[in-house]
Amino acid sequence: MSDFVIMTDSSCDLPAALAEEMELTVLPLYVDVDGQKYTNYLDEREISFAEIYAKLRTKCPAKTSAVNMNDFMEPMESLLAAGKDVLYIGFSSGLSGTYNAGVLAARELSEKYPERKIYTVDSLCASMGQGLLVWHAWNEKRKGATIEQVRDFTEQTKLHLCHWFTIDDLMFLKRGGRVSGATAVVGSMLSIKPVMHVDNDGHLIKVDTARGRKASIKALADKAGKLGYNLSDQTVFISHGDCIDDANYLADIMRTRFGVKDVVISYVGPVIGAHSGPGTVALFFLGSER
C-alpha cells in the first residue's frame, strides 16, 4: 500500500471504528454549547453526541469554534517527520474556515519538509458527505493508487457526492439566518419540512419543502432515485441528529426501492448538529450531479 496518510477533520462524522479501520488522522473540531467548549472527537471521549443533542433540545445556545493553522501543525508535522506523505481532505470551505487553515499549515510545512508530499483537497462536503468522499478516497488507496492518483480521484469525484438533508426544527435554521422568523413559525405550525442539499460551492441550500416528517424523509430517497447511479452497487451513508429510527426508516426505503445493500449510519456530529439541530436526517450517495 502507498506510504501516505489520509487526513481529515471531525466534521466528516464517520463512525469512530470505521475511521480507525481506515487508519485516518482526524483533526478534532470544537463546539460550544451553553457556554461550555467541547472537543468533537469521533469516539465521543469528551462528551457523547446524545448528551450534546439533549442540551440542544433544551434550546441551549450553541456555536462552533474555528480551528486555526496551529491546530493543524502538530498532527501534520508528526506524520511528515515520520516519513509519511499527507493528503488532507477537508470540511467544505463554503461552510467553514477549517480547510483554509489546513492549507496554510500545509504550505508552511512543505517548506520545512521539501522531501515530503503534502496535498490538500477542499471536499466542498459536510458531515457524512465528507466522510463518504474520504471513504472513497481510502478505497482508491487500498487498491494501490499513489497519493497523486487519490488526490485527483477525490477532486474528480467530489461534485458527484450528493448531500440531501431534511431539518426537523426550523428554529435552528432561523438561528443560523437561513430562514426568517416568520417562515420558521409558520412552517413549524404547518409541519413544513425543508429539503436541502450542499451545492457545488459547498453551501447548504434549501431546495424543496415537504409536508410532514415521513414525506420529507421519502423526499430524500426521491432525490437519490433521480440523481443516483447504480445505487444497488453503492455504499450509501446516512447521518442523523439523534433520531436513529428515522435514519433506519430511510435506510429501509433505500434497500426496498433501490436494492441498496450497504448502508452506514452515524450521527450528525455536534459541529454540524449545532446548526441543524435534533431530528436532522441526511442521505449521501454518488450521483450524476449534486
Side-chain angles (χ1 to χ4, degrees):
M1 187 178 290
S2 301
D3 195 25
F4 68 94
V5 173
I6 296 176
M7 181 177 181
T8 189
D9 44 72
S10 62
S11 62
C12 67
D13 291 344
L14 286 165
L18 181 55
E20 183 176 357
E21 177 188 344
M22 294 162 65
E23 299 181 316
L24 301 177
T25 292
V26 181
L27 178 75
L29 305 183
Y30 307 101
V31 63
D32 186 302
V33 181
D34 201 22
Q36 176 69 44
K37 185 176 180 180
Y38 299 100
T39 306
N40 172 206
Y41 293 106
L42 296 183
D43 63 7
E44 306 175 70
R45 71 186 72 165
E46 194 163 294
I47 185 170
S48 73
F49 298 157
E51 288 178 82
I52 290 283
Y53 279 103
K55 291 176 181 291
L56 293 176
R57 285 191 172 95
T58 66
K59 309 302 181 185
C60 286
K63 61 182 180 180
T64 50
S65 302
V67 296
N68 57 42
M69 181 183 79
N70 292 331
D71 291 306
F72 279 92
M73 293 293 285
E74 190 280 327
M76 280 186 174
E77 184 163 17
S78 65
L79 295 169
L80 298 170
K84 304 286 187 180
D85 296 328
V86 176
L87 173 62
Y88 169 59
I89 304 172
F91 187 13
S92 171
S93 64
L95 294 170
S96 168
T98 301
Y99 173 72
N100 290 327
V103 170
L104 293 174
R107 286 176 182 167
E108 183 164 318
L109 289 168
S110 65
E111 295 178 4
K112 186 174 180 180
Y113 295 89
E115 74 283 5
R116 298 261 57 86
K117 298 174 181 176
I118 179 165
Y119 299 122
T120 64
V121 174
D122 182 355
S123 72
L124 300 174
C125 295
S127 190
M128 286 185 81
Q130 178 183 341
L132 184 54
L133 185 65
V134 170
W135 183 83
H136 280 294
W138 171 69
N139 274 298
E140 293 301 303
K141 179 177 183 284
R142 282 204 303 168
K143 296 173 189 175
T146 65
I147 188 171
E148 289 86 3
Q149 288 170 330
V150 175
R151 175 201 60 193
D152 294 347
F153 166 86
T154 307
E155 290 284 8
Q156 292 159 9
T157 303
K158 66 186 185 183
L159 294 185
H160 295 279
L161 206 303
C162 301
H163 305 54
W164 288 93
F165 296 74
T166 186
I167 309 295
D168 192 43
D169 188 343
L170 286 167
M171 292 303 176
F172 281 88
L173 292 184
K174 173 183 172 293
R175 284 188 197 177
R178 296 195 177 274
V179 299
S180 68
T183 297
V185 171
V186 173
S188 296
M189 290 173 60
L190 298 177
S191 194
I192 299 297
K193 308 298 182 184
V195 176
M196 311 179 75
H197 85 129
V198 173
D199 69 9
N200 286 354
D201 296 319
H203 298 131
L204 186 60
I205 303 296
K206 179 184 172 188
V207 177
D208 293 315
T209 57
R211 186 75 175 267
R213 178 65 165 171
K214 286 197 171 182
S216 69
I217 294 172
K218 289 177 181 176
L220 305 182
D222 292 342
K223 296 297 183 182
K226 180 179 179 181
L227 297 170
Y229 50 75
N230 298 326
L231 287 169
S232 62
D233 295 327
Q234 287 194 40
T235 294
V236 168
F237 281 15
I238 295 172
S239 61
H240 67 93
D242 201 38
C243 52
I244 185 62
D245 289 345
D246 290 331
N248 285 328
Y249 175 65
L250 177 56
D252 288 342
I253 294 173
M254 296 300 293
R255 293 186 184 105
T256 302
R257 284 181 59 181
F258 306 116
V260 173
K261 302 175 189 67
D262 298 316
V263 180
V264 176
I265 298 176
S266 190
Y267 269 93
V268 177
V271 171
I272 301 294
H275 301 287
S276 60
T280 299
V281 178
L283 176 65
F284 310 96
F285 56 92
L286 291 177
S288 56
E289 61 183 15
R290 283 197 173 185

